Amino acid sequence: MVSVSILQTQKLHKHFNGVNAVDHLSLRIEKGKVTGIVGPNGSGKTTLVNLLTGMVPSDSGAVLVSEMKLSRIRPYDVRTYGMTRTFQQVRLFQQMSVLDNVLVVLTERGVFLSLFEYHTNFHLRQAKVVLEQVGLWDKRNENAENLSYGQRKLLEIARALAMGSDTMLLDEPFAGLFPSMKKTVAGIVQKLRSEGKTVVLIEHDMEIIKHLSDHLIVLDAGKLLAEGKSHEVLSRKEVIEAYLGE
Amino acid sequence: MDILPQLIANSLIAGSIYAMVALGFNLIFSTAKFFDIGYGALAAVGAYTVFYLAKVHNFPTLVGVIAGVVVAGILGFVIEKFVYKKLRGRKASNTVMLIASLGVFTALQAVIAIFFTSQFQTLPSDLFGRGVFHIGGGVVTSVQIAIFVLALIIMSVLAWFLYKTMFGKAIRAISDDEEVARIVGIDTEKVIGRVFFIGSAIAGLAGILVGFDTGITPTMGFSLLLKGVIAAIVGGVGNVFGGVMGALLLGTVENFGIWYISGEWKDAIAFTLLIIFLIFRPQGIFNRK
């Protein structure tokens, strides 16, 4: 079967203060699969996600979304391209309630009448579904800033789920979570895969990566070091060396 | 103290006007994230639209008021679209934005003075009448009651709008984290444009009400802007309802202050309050940092 790439980079390049964060990187993210991206600190994982979501402009190279070459990605177009993301350092709308953090992404705002648009029971039901999925429905009236770190991470994932995007880029979604929360997030990733969604998973925990990824990409100093099935890739000598610094 | 009811009434009326100005100012600041000085001139634009339509062309005053609010709103929207948005697109610093808005302020004020002269003018008094009421020992005019009631209505509508409508939630999201708001699909530029319309319309209404109460001059926007900004800083810049509390505090301190000292010290009292806050609590009453 021919695999279909939903996201592709072609010689994508970004440098900060003379350091190549992403170095002429070409890779493919396949549709409907969980692709893990690993690499030592500073290997360019988060910069790659920032480039894919238009949060930092690239110096050169291109990003292809569903085979469509994009010269420039604007952050608010990311949703139009069927993508969403979470952040390594959780970024919520802190002053808003848990429920409003989800409700705010649930409607289109294309017309002038949206000035008076009200959330309906339909939106509330959608918000309830995703908040129950992460176990935060009971906290719906709390301000986001009052949640624990783990709960805030879960809320960020719920917000991303509410957007119903086909491609989700999750930047270290398991970091700092209690085991029960990790189980919840792992369950969400598996459910997304079973629904045919594409997940890009940046993670440091190798056990989780082995368990969840269909395909693994290893970055080092902004370059592609290895890719393939996770078990096979993680046993390669160059990958072990990059991690252990041998 | 026989004067107390009058002082409370004066404080509430002054506070209501400052609150309106601070509401619009904070609404714009919380999304566009810069000190929009040009906002002050839109109060004068609203007032002079009423003057032009109702006094020069004898339209019904209510038509003039509605037109004044809409013209101020549209002008604010147009200025955002053709000046501030372009500058944001070029990654202009806040200082550049501030200077640009000072330019807008000066230009608008000059245009009003060219067309209507710098002389003091009054607005027709037929809309709210010239009634004088004795309430709880204080004396207030019908215009002042209208100012208080309209300020309450605007605050309530804005609260409903920000917390209940989807658009209001988008405004709050941008105010919290504009970059993330964009990532989750909110067209921040469009939202900011509409916020300028709403904020400027509020400024226009504030200018019109002050015009009914004390008359108009092309420079009237400056003192209104200063008081609105002081109220916003005292309450917490960008905190929409903090600004209301700041406005009430400012109105109270000013009016009680001039009773104890003298009327000429009104602005000095306002700025003393500002300086105290800037030194001891620059984030204002309601902002945390």
Side-chain angles (χ1 to χ4, degrees), chain A residues 54-199:
Chain A
M55 295 194 75
V56 290
S58 62
D59 296 333
S60 60
V63 174
L64 282 80
V65 180
S66 302
E67 311 290 334
M68 185 175 65
K69 199 169 187 171
L70 301 169
S71 54
R72 184 183 166 197
I73 298 179
R74 290 183 183 85
Y76 66 81
D77 284 332
V78 166
R79 187 176 187 178
T80 321
Y81 301 140
M83 294 194 285
T84 186
R85 68 169 293 180
T86 64
F87 295 84
Q88 193 179 352
Q89 301 295 327
V90 189
R91 286 174 76 172
L92 296 168
F93 302 121
Q94 304 275 28
Q95 306 292 319
M96 293 167 74
S97 70
V98 167
L99 183 61
D100 281 353
N101 262 275
V102 176
L103 281 175
V104 76
V105 305
L106 280 173
T107 39
E108 296 297 325
R109 288 171 200 85
V111 292
F112 191 76
L113 282 177
S114 72
L115 278 174
F116 308 102
E117 194 176 1
Y118 213 65
H119 58 255
T120 61
N121 284 336
F122 172 72
H123 298 130
L124 270 176
R125 270 202 304 278
Q126 279 182 298
K128 189 177 181 195
V129 168
V130 293
L131 285 175
E132 278 180 344
Q133 228 176 316
V134 297
L136 286 177
W137 177 245
D138 291 343
K139 300 264 180 194
R140 61 188 177 278
N141 294 323
E142 290 259 356
N143 253 19
E145 64 184 347
N146 296 333
L147 298 180
S148 70
Y149 179 77
Q151 287 170 330
R152 291 170 65 221
K153 253 193 147 148
L154 290 174
L155 177 57
E156 199 184 35
I157 291 169
R159 185 178 65 192
L161 288 174
M163 289 167 68
S165 306
D166 289 329
T167 307
M168 290 187 57
L169 298 101
L170 307 177
D171 196 350
E172 300 197 20
F174 296 93
L177 295 189
F178 290 118
S180 64
M181 289 174 167
K182 283 187 179 178
K183 216 172 148 187
T184 303
V185 177
I188 287 169
V189 172
Q190 282 165 330
K191 188 167 179 284
L192 286 168
R193 175 170 42 199
S194 71
E195 289 167 354
K197 308 247 173 171
T198 309
V199 179

Side-chain angles (χ1 to χ4, degrees), chain B residues 42-50 52-53 63-79 108 196-197 200-205 208:
Chain B
L42 291 163
V45 168
Y48 273 89
T49 305
V50 178
Y52 180 72
L53 290 176
V63 172
V65 171
I66 294 167
V69 172
V70 173
V71 167
I74 290 175
L75 192 58
F77 176 81
V78 169
I79 292 165
L108 284 179
F196 265 86
F197 175 83
S200 306
I202 295 174
L205 180 63
I208 292 166

Side-chain angles (χ1 to χ4, degrees), chain B residues 35-270:
Chain B
F35 252 70
D36 178 19
I37 297 173
Y39 172 82
L42 291 163
V45 168
Y48 273 89
T49 305
V50 178
F51 176 76
Y52 180 72
L53 290 176
K55 208 142 184 194
V56 179
H57 289 287
N58 293 319
F59 278 95
T61 309
L62 184 62
V63 172
V65 171
I66 294 167
V69 172
V70 173
V71 167
I74 290 175
L75 192 58
F77 176 81
V78 169
I79 292 165
E80 145 64 15
K81 196 169 171 60
F82 292 102
V83 182
Y84 305 144
K85 187 178 171 182
K86 303 266 183 221
L87 288 171
R88 272 202 308 280
R90 293 177 187 189
K91 310 257 180 252
S93 67
N94 275 356
T95 314
V96 171
M97 300 294 279
L98 181 84
I99 292 167
S101 73
L102 183 63
V104 166
F105 178 85
T106 314
L108 284 179
Q109 209 168 261
V111 168
I112 293 171
I114 288 167
F115 281 99
F116 299 100
T117 76
S118 296
Q119 284 201 326
F120 173 83
Q121 308 279 3
T122 56
L123 295 182
S125 57
D126 58 317
L127 189 62
F128 300 113
R130 291 197 180 276
V132 175
F133 303 90
H134 294 263
I135 301 172
V139 180
V140 288
T141 66
S142 47
V143 173
Q144 289 171 333
I145 292 174
I147 288 173
F148 181 67
V149 172
L150 280 169
L152 273 183
I153 291 172
I154 286 175
M155 281 176 228
S156 313
V157 169
L158 207 61
W160 168 82
F161 178 72
L162 283 175
Y163 285 87
K164 295 294 179 189
T165 70
M166 279 299 181
F167 190 74
K169 286 185 208 301
I171 292 175
R172 286 165 58 216
I174 293 173
S175 156
D176 234 321
D177 193 330
E178 190 185 346
E179 203 170 34
V180 177
R182 273 193 232 129
I183 283 288
V184 299
I186 295 171
D187 188 341
T188 54
E189 291 296 338
K190 222 175 235 179
V191 173
I192 292 172
R194 289 172 196 180
V195 164
F196 265 86
F197 175 83
I198 297 165
S200 306
I202 295 174
L205 180 63
I208 292 166
L209 291 172
V210 169
F212 282 128
D213 193 28
T214 58
I216 59 175
T217 61
T219 55
M220 64 185 285
F222 190 66
S223 60
L224 268 179
L225 175 78
L226 279 182
K227 297 298 171 65
V229 169
I230 293 173
I233 291 171
V234 168
V237 176
N239 186 320
V240 174
F241 296 101
V244 174
M245 299 314 289
L248 290 175
L249 181 65
L250 175 62
T252 307
V253 171
E254 255 187 12
N255 280 286
F256 277 77
I258 58 174
W259 184 69
Y260 279 107
I261 312 170
S262 158
E264 291 113 40
W265 289 86
K266 193 173 179 182
D267 288 345
I269 292 165

